[in-house]
Amino acid sequence: MVYNVVKMTHSSWSTGTAATLARSGAGTPRPLSRTRAALAAAVARAVELGYAAPPGAAGACTPDTQAGQVSRWLGEALSAGCAPTRRADLVALLGSVSELRCELLVQEPRRRLKAIAEACDGLARMRGADDPDELLARVAEEACRSCGFERVVVARIDGGLWTLAQAHFRDDPAGARAYAERLGARRLSIAPARLETDMIRRRAAALVDGPMISDPDVPAALTGYVAAPIIAGDRVMSIVYAGRATGEADELDRDVLRWFADGVAELWERATLRRRLCDQRDHVRDMVSTAGAVLTELCDADIELRAAPGQAPGAPAAVTVTAERRLDSLITRRELEVLALMAEGGSNTTIAERLVIAEGTVKSHVKHILRKLAAANRAEAVARYLHQQLGDHHAVPRT
């Protein structure tokens, strides 16, 4: 497999000033394909006149580079001297190539700016997804929509294994479904895949001329494509492959996909942080609600006045708050020990070490405690335990 990997540079994306400037210079699509076709015809004419491309240059250089090579050869041929008729042909061809090269110099920046603006629009649409899983589920379709690709495949990377996450073929929806069904349940090793291994190691995007990684029984979805990793923190969690049915891809496609993948990674981290904050908020609300319920129960509990053992007649009585039901009548002795350590703030690991039991056994005890006490969570179970402790040990002398 032949491929070209470039070092990835981190790019910041937005829908503000950068996108506005991009659109201002890229409002009208340019006929770049026709310019390239005209250049190809000019190169063919140069070959007829004696031009020979440098070794290894065919198909490996940009149109602008190719135009420059032909221009230099035409200049050298004119300087060497030739018949008037041949000279006229060389001069006319040099003028045509120079004009095409100027068009390319204008079109390429505008094409790049337009591609950046459209990628920004796609990322802005994905910004509305607050759930990380929902966000990743939209990557393939949005890459086709905003980055100009016809086929996009997204794979998860986990422990050196490659697993298909989604596939979207704009030109062949049925083919995408069939591809996902045939490859979705398979996990492939990336160890023999040089491209994927290099991408994970270097955190780089790639322009590839060859088939993508696939199962031997499943034809590759792309044979000429670009690929970019989605990096969360210091880990490559996914790789996005994108291309067209014709197999044509270039450096701009690679750069745009890298830009898009960087934006997706930032959105994923934002959505993940937001979900964690929401989970913490709900947890705190549960704790506050449980504490309020316990305080209300303490305030409304029956109060019994009785003399303490050995207390002299007429001495001040004690006020004792009694629990509705004693915990030791509901749970076992070992479960009560686990509950006491939970009340001290011990984690499952700490409790296992204190009681010299397996952590799995602790988890089982916690599960039984919650079920027997009809507690929704650990905090509620601890609150009931502390409630009983107050009733048993915190008697208030009556004056």
Side-chain angles (χ1 to χ4, degrees), residues 260-275:
F260 183 80
D262 285 350
V264 169
E266 292 182 18
L267 288 177
W268 185 87
E269 291 180 346
R270 171 182 174 273
T272 300
L273 177 59
R274 180 179 177 83
R275 185 170 68 176

Side-chain angles (χ1 to χ4, degrees), residues 7-299:
K7 186 175 183 181
M8 177 181 292
T9 56
H10 181 75
S11 303
S12 176
W13 62 271
S14 70
T15 56
T17 305
T20 301
L21 289 175
R23 293 187 190 88
S24 67
T28 304
R30 303 301 187 201
L32 182 60
S33 59
R34 280 183 286 176
T35 303
R36 289 182 171 180
L39 177 60
V43 172
R45 176 57 180 158
V47 171
E48 293 176 358
L49 296 175
Y51 169 71
C61 61
T62 64
D64 177 60
T65 302
Q66 191 176 35
Q69 293 171 350
V70 174
S71 296
R72 283 193 295 273
W73 176 82
L74 289 169
E76 293 171 358
L78 288 170
S79 300
C82 56
T85 55
R86 176 178 169 79
R87 182 177 183 85
D89 289 337
L90 293 174
V91 170
L93 184 58
L94 180 58
S96 298
V97 173
S98 299
E99 182 179 351
L100 291 171
R101 191 177 184 189
C102 290
E103 288 184 23
L104 289 172
L105 291 175
V106 172
Q107 289 171 343
E108 285 295 341
R110 287 181 173 176
R111 178 173 172 245
R112 180 173 292 272
L113 289 172
K114 183 175 184 294
I116 291 174
E118 291 176 347
C120 286
D121 288 340
L123 292 169
R125 285 189 291 269
M126 296 182 67
R127 192 178 181 88
D130 289 330
D131 183 79
D133 296 332
E134 177 190 352
L135 177 74
L136 293 179
R138 295 170 54 181
V139 170
E141 182 177 359
E142 191 58 57
C144 283
R145 178 182 179 183
S146 61
C147 299
F149 299 113
E150 294 177 354
R151 297 187 174 191
V152 174
V153 173
V154 181
R156 290 189 301 270
I157 304 298
D158 184 17
L161 295 177
W162 186 101
T163 307
L164 179 69
Q166 53 189 284
H168 183 82
F169 300 170
R170 189 172 60 187
D171 62 317
D172 184 13
R177 289 192 295 270
Y179 181 79
E181 290 173 359
R182 295 179 64 183
L183 197 59
R186 310 190 186 187
R187 307 183 72 187
L188 309 177
S189 173
I190 63 173
R194 182 184 171 193
L195 170 66
E196 282 70 19
T197 302
D198 217 23
M199 289 179 65
I200 292 173
R201 179 175 60 86
R202 300 177 61 185
R203 307 294 198 265
L207 173 61
V208 187
D209 180 17
M212 62 178 290
I213 186 174
S214 186
D215 189 278
D217 299 329
V218 181
L222 298 166
T223 55
Y225 60 95
V226 291
I230 298 178
I231 305 171
D234 58 351
R235 180 176 67 89
V236 174
M237 62 178 183
S238 297
I239 294 179
V240 184
Y241 305 83
R244 300 174 182 85
T246 58
E248 296 179 356
D250 58 20
E251 291 82 359
L252 179 57
D253 291 326
R254 177 198 59 205
D255 295 343
V256 168
L257 186 63
R258 180 190 63 191
W259 181 282
F260 183 80
D262 285 350
V264 169
E266 292 182 18
L267 288 177
W268 185 87
E269 291 180 346
R270 171 182 174 273
T272 300
L273 177 59
R274 180 179 177 83
R275 185 170 68 176
R276 290 175 180 172
L277 290 174
C278 289
D279 290 343
Q280 290 294 329
R281 178 199 61 193
D282 295 340
H283 180 64
V284 171
R285 282 179 176 175
D286 289 342
M287 292 182 63
V288 171
S289 177
T290 300
V294 171
L295 291 175
T296 299
E297 188 177 352
L298 286 173
C299 292

